[in-house]
């Protein structure tokens, strides 16, 4: 009997192996496919992330370049505005100096005229006094 007893176990194992082997292999292949699919998806996601990272880096670099261009334009415009303001200030200073020069010339002319007038008035006054003193009453009447 020992021989008959040992036969059902290997036979049962063989039957179980044949019955379970295919589903087990199928499940293993299905699992291998799922793992490959996950790896492919991870690789695609990694490639997409790298592409986005490069795209963002390019955008950042473009933004930096644009900021530099804006800064350079602003500095140039500020320098031009400063030059215009300095030129305008110099022109205004020149006008003010010329105006002051004209005003001083006019003041000097007026002062000279007033001085001449005062000198003339003083000369006439002195002449009148001299004449009054030197002329007597009768001379005065004749004149």
């Amino acid at each position: 009997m020992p021989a008959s007893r040992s036969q059902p176990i290997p036979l049962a194992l063989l039957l179980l192996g044949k019955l379970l082997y295919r589903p087990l292999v199928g499940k293993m292949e299905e699992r291998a496919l799922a793992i490959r699919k996950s790896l492919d998806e991870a690789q695609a996601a990694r490639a997409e992330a790298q592409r986005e990272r490069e795209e963002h880096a390019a955008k950042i670099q473009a933004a930096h370049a644009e900021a530099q261009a804006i800064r350079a334009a602003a500095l140039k415009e500020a320098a031009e505005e400063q030059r215009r303001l300095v030129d305008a200030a110099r022109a205004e200073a020149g006008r003010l100096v010329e105006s002051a020069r004209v005003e001083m010339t006019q003041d000097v002319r007026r002062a000279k005229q007033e001085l001449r007038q005062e000198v003339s008035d003083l000369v006439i006054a002195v002449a009148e006094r001299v004449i009054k003193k030197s002329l007597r009453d009768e001379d005065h009447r004749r004149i």
Side-chain angles (χ1 to χ4, degrees), residues 87-134:
D87 290 347
R90 284 185 179 143
E92 181 65 21
R95 282 191 296 276
L96 289 174
V97 166
E98 185 58 31
S99 173
R101 192 173 287 137
V102 167
E103 191 175 330
M104 278 182 10
T105 303
Q106 290 173 349
D107 287 347
V108 167
R109 283 183 191 151
R110 256 186 255 119
K112 285 180 180 179
Q113 184 63 33
E114 289 173 5
L115 187 60
R116 284 185 192 125
Q117 187 63 42
E118 284 181 32
V119 168
S120 295
D121 291 345
L122 286 173
V123 167
I124 291 172
V126 168
E128 284 179 356
R129 284 186 197 154
V130 168
I131 291 174
K132 279 184 183 178
K133 284 186 180 180
S134 64

Side-chain angles (χ1 to χ4, degrees), residues 15 22 45-47 57 77 82 99 105 109 123 132 135-136:
L15 273 173
R22 281 191 187 170
R46 196 173 312 125
E77 188 176 322
Q82 180 182 14
S99 173
T105 303
R109 283 183 191 151
V123 167
K132 279 184 183 178
L135 288 179
R136 291 177 264 149

Side-chain angles (χ1 to χ4, degrees), residues 34-92:
I35 290 171
R36 264 189 232 114
K37 182 180 177 186
S38 293
L39 287 174
D40 290 346
E41 288 174 356
Q43 183 67 23
R46 196 173 312 125
E48 177 66 19
Q50 180 65 27
R51 186 191 61 76
E52 287 179 5
R53 194 174 17 251
E54 289 170 358
E55 185 178 301
H56 289 207
K59 285 181 181 178
I60 288 171
Q61 191 166 0
H64 281 295
E66 184 179 354
Q68 287 294 344
I70 290 170
R71 180 177 180 270
L75 287 173
K76 182 181 177 184
E77 188 176 322
E80 288 174 4
E81 182 64 21
Q82 180 182 14
R83 183 189 52 77
R84 281 192 299 265
L85 289 173
V86 167
D87 290 347
R90 284 185 179 143
E92 181 65 21

Side-chain angles (χ1 to χ4, degrees), residues 136-143:
R136 291 177 264 149
D137 258 349
E138 353 178 306
D139 294 333
H140 237 306
R141 286 188 196 142
R142 283 193 322 215
I143 297 179

